[in-house]
Amino acid sequence: MLFSSSYCRPAFLATLGLALTTMTLSSSAQSPAAGTASVTLRTNQAPLLAPWSGPHGGVPAFDKVKVADFKPALEAAMTENLAEVAAIANNPKPPTFDNTIVALERSGGTLDRVQAEYGVWKTTLNDKAFGAVETEMAPRMAAFSDQISQNAALFKRIEAVYNSPATKKLTPEQQRLVEVRYKAFVRAGAKLDAPAKTRLSQINQQLAGLFTKFSQNVLADEADSVLVLKTDKDLGGLPASLREAAKTTATTRQVAAAGVITNTRSSIDPFLTYSDQRALREKAWRMFTNRGDNGGAHDNNALITQILQLRAERAKLLGYKTHAHLRLDNTMAKTPEAAMQLMLDMWKPAVARVHEEVADMLALAQKEGAPADFKIEPWDYRYYAEKVRKARYDLDQNEVKQYLQLDKMREGMFWVAGELFNFAFVPAPDVPVYHPDVKVWQVNDRTTGKQVGLWYFDPYARPGKNSGAWMNAYRKQERLDGKPVTTIVSNNSNFVKGKDGEPVLISWTDATTLFHEFGHALHGLSSNVTYPTLSGTSVVRDYVEFPSQLLENWLPTPEVLNRFALHYQTGQPIPAALVARINKASTFNEGFATTEFLASALVDMKLHLAGDQKIDPDKFERETLAQLGMPHELVMRHRTPQFSHVFSSDGYSAGYYSYLWSVVLAADGFSAFTEAGGPYDKAVAARLRQHVYTVGNTVDPAVGYRAFRGRDPKVDALMKQRGFPLASAAPAKKPATPAKPGAAPKRK
């Protein structure tokens, strides 16, 4: 979701190829024979357990869900899924693709639905009541996943299909499914002996509990800490839209003050950019960067130490040198060393650019009367960078913001989707939602009129909602058994509401983030595969960000800006002269953006390459950044104690580098358009859809990229985009050729 310009957490992009993510049962419900509980609970908990009904191929009954329903519904769904898996594992007939692999694809439907709605509450409506359910269920869910992945009889059947000569006669998509299923089970410990399996399950349960606690701690620090602006002077320098948002927040939170700045990036970043009150900037910066690092009940440092130790132990159990080697084994990068090399190649030019940016800011500050010994501190960077931008390029981001209305930018995304993907978005007010802020659109093929999916949009910040922006898939596209199932996806943001009836104005960075997350949604909506495990965004971690990074490039196109970047008062399109200044300044502040991202990515990788050594997170962070030569004037984009990508799940652990890997692909991929007929070239767009957006995980991503681009990616386009000197004209390192189905897996 690159993090220099956006934050993305695709929460349900599971790549393990299982019919579930991470679950477990209580001791009273572990037997498949307990299936009668499912029948009883299906009646009592119908909103969660019943098949989705209603329009558009069925939709979640979000308006009927109660937090108290989640625990019994999860238990019932897990019991049902275990019974389904037991029937597959104990099938007396010889294992075949249909009775084993396809049977697994058909299983877990109830659980998928319950988890989809559970995930919505976890990320957008997480209050104390839900937190209690999450705390109890997370370890149980992890153990449940292990019950399936460690089922010896089931794995024996999967392995038999994987090694069968008949598999070579299957379609390429079917062969890919067999390979993905088999390798997922191996990576989950299916080949371990009984004691090792037991220990692995214990580790997974412990980690699930720690991930939940980590997330809840960050959420608590974000919810409990705010910056109160007591007087009008405290609002000094803030643009009108931010003033109004701060006043509205104060009113909503019933705080008697001139305004309130919440402890989320969407509030803090603009405050740091415009506030002329240096002491308040420092206070806001410290509040935000110290989330999870304040001591007391919500401090995450001890949790991180435990998480790292458990991950290291798990990696060794599975035969890998470190957690980093385990995580990168099935990625495009293949090895931590390859990912590290890419990051270090970018680090030196990025830091050099930071020093140039700081020198420019110091010169301006002294020109404005700052003392000779004045230093740019981290809480000053955005403030003085904005001043330099205005002085050098006559570009005021607040001026740009007046042309970026949230609703108009959404319409612009729809238009791009129509031009590149032939999609039409039609409001769907008949779909129930979980919060009044959420709106839904039916997505149709413009030519045939057929529905391809639903798109939910949840744009605004609120208590209990994770900060940042992300995409979810509530239902995957599939056509198993010849029955087409359309997808349901969502985009989630944290924009701050202003006054009722007034348009929400967003920054250029926020608009870029909006397009980025919409790229994930289009990836899901475009999916055209048979099997749900291979559908949509279910691709390797350092490829999943490619389609989203790529879509960012369409925001600055004249076709979008002239139609949708309209002044919120006059309705006039953004002036060509202002666009020219935006383009001229496109590489401005890239030192800051790239360095703060790389600092997080490098610390993430080094933490997970450290093996089983016991780590003090704060100390490790300080020492690692010092060794790298981290500029004093900025910090990691995500400091370790609040690094939710890495410590709220295994999702991006030892994988935050993947944004950089994907942005290399995106920059190079967009060059295919600029080298042809331009951003809307029909032939290139068709290749993009055919080889990237529609295929899900049915082909190896390196193969898919080459089919689209005609060659392996080069880093040149990215270096040019960021204004860095070209290191070389050589292509990026070619990923290793994937093993063919039926080949023996590599030993670790």
Side-chain angles (χ1 to χ4, degrees):
M1 268 129 160
L2 187 59
F3 272 76
S4 59
S5 61
S6 66
Y7 175 87
C8 145
R9 185 183 296 118
F12 301 107
L13 305 186
T15 57
L16 288 179
L18 300 178
L20 46 111
T21 52
T22 52
M23 295 204 156
T24 185
L25 286 171
S26 63
S27 58
S28 62
Q30 290 197 13
S31 170
T36 52
S38 176
V39 177
T40 303
L41 283 167
R42 191 178 295 281
T43 301
N44 297 337
Q45 313 296 339
L48 282 172
L49 288 170
W52 292 347
S53 60
H56 315 288
V59 294
F62 284 132
D63 56 333
K64 297 179 181 178
V65 174
K66 300 184 183 72
V67 171
D69 295 342
F70 279 116
K71 177 183 172 182
L74 285 168
E75 291 174 333
M78 290 187 289
T79 299
E80 179 180 281
N81 196 192
L82 275 184
E84 293 169 334
V85 169
I88 299 168
N90 300 325
N91 188 340
K93 295 181 179 180
T96 66
F97 176 75
D98 286 331
N99 69 21
T100 302
I101 305 300
V102 176
L104 281 172
E105 291 295 292
R106 295 191 184 103
S107 70
T110 302
L111 183 57
D112 287 342
R113 293 192 300 273
V114 176
Q115 281 191 289
E117 298 180 66
Y118 178 85
V120 169
W121 258 253
K122 173 184 171 70
T123 55
T124 70
L125 298 167
N126 200 326
D127 57 15
K128 287 186 177 180
F130 183 85
V133 175
E134 185 185 17
T135 298
E136 178 181 355
M137 293 306 296
R140 296 173 61 188
M141 291 158 74
F144 176 71
S145 178
D146 289 332
Q147 284 181 262
I148 294 180
S149 62
Q150 296 181 9
N151 185 314
L154 178 63
F155 178 67
K156 186 176 180 180
R157 294 181 67 87
I158 294 171
E159 187 174 38
V161 176
Y162 180 73
N163 290 322
S164 171
T167 297
K168 296 178 181 179
K169 299 178 182 179
L170 298 174
T171 68
E173 181 177 349
Q174 291 170 336
Q175 291 185 57
R176 179 73 173 175
L177 178 63
V178 173
E179 178 187 18
V180 167
R181 281 282 186 181
Y182 172 78
K183 290 184 176 180
F185 271 76
V186 172
R187 287 168 55 79
K191 288 194 168 186
L192 298 178
D193 60 24
K197 284 182 177 178
T198 299
R199 179 54 187 153
L200 181 64
S201 187
Q202 291 171 346
I203 291 172
N204 288 337
Q205 291 176 65
Q206 288 178 265
L207 283 171
L210 293 169
F211 294 156
T212 299
K213 182 62 176 173
F214 183 97
S215 298
Q216 290 178 348
N217 285 346
V218 175
L219 193 63
D221 273 359
E222 290 177 348
D224 296 346
S225 302
V226 297
L227 178 65
V228 177
L229 308 178
K230 298 178 181 178
T231 66
D232 286 343
K233 182 182 178 182
D234 292 345
L235 298 169
L238 303 184
S241 60
L242 190 54
R243 285 172 174 254
E244 290 300 328
K247 290 177 181 178
T248 299
T249 303
T251 301
T252 302
R253 291 183 174 245
Q254 299 181 330
V255 177
V260 165
I261 301 297
T262 57
N263 199 16
T264 62
R265 191 176 300 278
S266 56
S267 293
I268 295 295
D269 279 2
F271 183 80
L272 293 176
T273 301
Y274 295 110
S275 174
D276 60 17
Q277 301 297 301
R278 194 182 192 213
L280 289 178
R281 290 204 308 270
E282 179 180 358
K283 192 172 181 180
W285 180 86
R286 292 191 182 281
M287 177 178 73
F288 186 68
T289 58
N290 287 334
R291 290 168 297 147
D293 197 24
N294 292 304
H298 298 150
D299 193 278
N300 275 331
N301 283 283
L303 299 181
I304 293 169
T305 301
Q306 295 176 66
I307 289 170
L308 292 170
Q309 292 273 288
L310 289 168
R311 280 175 172 164
E313 182 184 354
R314 180 177 60 185
K316 285 190 174 181
L317 272 176
L318 292 169
Y320 292 86
K321 182 179 178 182
T322 69
H323 178 74
H325 289 84
L326 166 64
R327 293 292 295 168
L328 271 74
D329 182 53
N330 70 336
T331 63
M332 291 188 76
K334 300 298 181 187
T335 67
E337 291 75 19
M340 284 290 292
Q341 188 59 56
L342 175 62
M343 289 189 284
L344 292 173
D345 286 347
M346 293 290 291
W347 177 257
K348 188 173 291 186
V351 170
R353 181 59 56 82
V354 166
H355 294 321
E356 294 173 7
E357 292 168 0
V358 170
D360 291 340
M361 289 187 281
L362 276 173
L364 185 144
Q366 290 169 355
K367 186 177 180 180
E368 290 184 344
D373 61 349
F374 181 80
K375 289 184 178 180
I376 299 294
E377 300 291 348
W379 49 88
D380 296 321
Y381 209 114
R382 284 180 173 83
Y383 179 73
Y384 281 103
E386 186 61 22
K387 283 177 170 287
V388 172
R389 188 200 314 267
K390 184 170 176 55
R392 179 174 297 174
Y393 301 102
D394 190 23
L395 183 63
D396 183 345
Q397 289 289 8
N398 192 46
E399 179 186 3
V400 177
K401 197 173 183 180
Q402 296 178 65
Y403 293 91
L404 302 179
Q405 303 173 58
L406 176 59
D407 286 346
K408 293 295 182 184
M409 288 295 100
R410 175 182 48 73
E411 292 174 13
M413 298 190 312
F414 289 174
W415 183 84
V416 170
E419 294 300 299
L420 296 180
F421 298 89
N422 202 39
F423 289 161
F425 289 73
V426 181
D430 56 338
V431 175
V433 294
Y434 53 87
H435 191 278
D437 286 345
V438 181
K439 306 298 179 188
V440 187
W441 282 259
Q442 178 177 310
V443 187
N444 300 327
D445 182 283
R446 288 198 306 187
T447 302
T448 66
K450 290 184 178 180
Q451 177 181 323
V452 298
L454 290 177
W455 183 71
Y456 289 59
F457 188 37
D458 184 0
Y460 301 119
R462 59 177 170 270
K465 185 177 182 181
N466 286 354
S467 60
W470 66 95
M471 170 267 189
N472 279 345
Y474 303 155
R475 179 173 69 206
K476 292 183 176 183
Q477 175 272 331
E478 60 170 278
R479 51 174 180 272
L480 199 60
D481 301 321
K483 300 175 183 178
V485 174
T486 58
T487 189
I488 300 176
V489 300
S490 74
N491 281 151
N492 309 268
S493 305
N494 272 276
F495 298 111
V496 180
K497 277 186 173 180
K499 287 183 177 179
D500 288 343
E502 291 189 357
V504 174
L505 304 181
I506 65 178
S507 69
W508 184 264
T509 297
D510 286 335
T512 303
T513 301
L514 204 61
F515 270 69
H516 175 105
E517 297 305 331
F518 192 59
H520 283 303
L522 291 175
H523 194 184
L525 289 163
S526 300
S527 181
N528 185 22
V529 306
T530 301
Y531 303 102
T533 290
L534 304 178
S535 180
T537 53
S538 299
V539 297
V540 294
R541 183 64 68 189
D542 53 7
Y543 192 69
V544 74
E545 296 298 331
F546 165 45
S548 54
Q549 298 282 8
L550 182 64
L551 201 76
E552 295 179 14
N553 291 282
W554 274 267
L555 168 62
T557 61
E559 292 85 348
V560 169
L561 297 181
N562 291 337
R563 286 176 174 86
F564 304 102
L566 307 179
H567 195 280
Y568 78 105
Q569 290 176 323
T570 68
Q572 293 298 308
I574 188 168
L578 180 54
V579 174
R581 298 203 302 272
I582 293 172
N583 291 333
K584 190 177 180 181
S586 62
T587 62
F588 177 76
N589 218 34
E590 277 296 347
F592 170 85
T594 305
T595 302
E596 68 161 5
F597 161 76
L598 283 174
S600 294
L602 286 163
V603 168
D604 165 41
M605 189 64 76
K606 286 176 176 289
L607 280 167
H608 291 102
L609 284 171
D612 56 5
Q613 62 178 280
K614 193 168 185 178
I615 287 174
D616 176 336
D618 277 346
K619 181 182 179 184
F620 188 93
E621 179 184 303
R622 286 193 306 271
E623 292 180 349
T624 300
L625 294 177
Q627 291 167 4
L628 288 169
M630 178 73 165
H632 157 78
E633 296 85 2
L634 70 164
V635 295
M636 299 162 62
R637 182 165 179 82
H638 304 285
R639 286 199 56 240
T640 312
Q642 69 232 203
F643 208 164
S644 294
H645 297 76
V646 173
F647 296 111
S648 66
S649 72
D650 280 327
Y652 281 88
S653 60
Y656 195 61
Y657 80 91
S658 61
Y659 289 94
L660 181 61
W661 193 275
S662 292
V663 83
V664 169
L665 300 178
D668 185 71
F670 188 65
S671 295
F673 284 89
T674 58
E675 292 166 6
Y680 298 92
D681 184 274
K682 297 296 184 183
V684 180
R687 290 205 313 272
L688 181 67
R689 292 193 304 270
Q690 178 183 357
H691 298 296
V692 176
Y693 279 82
T694 65
V695 297
N697 194 23
T698 61
V699 299
D700 181 84
V703 174
Y705 186 85
R706 283 194 290 272
F708 157 62
R709 191 68 174 95
R711 58 165 173 75
D712 290 320
K714 297 179 181 180
V715 300
D716 302 45
L718 176 61
M719 301 295 279
K720 183 178 179 181
Q721 274 189 2
R722 302 202 169 188
F724 296 162
L726 294 179
S728 73
K733 183 177 289 187
K734 183 177 179 179
T737 302
K740 295 180 179 179
K746 293 180 179 179
R747 301 289 296 177
K748 298 296 175 185

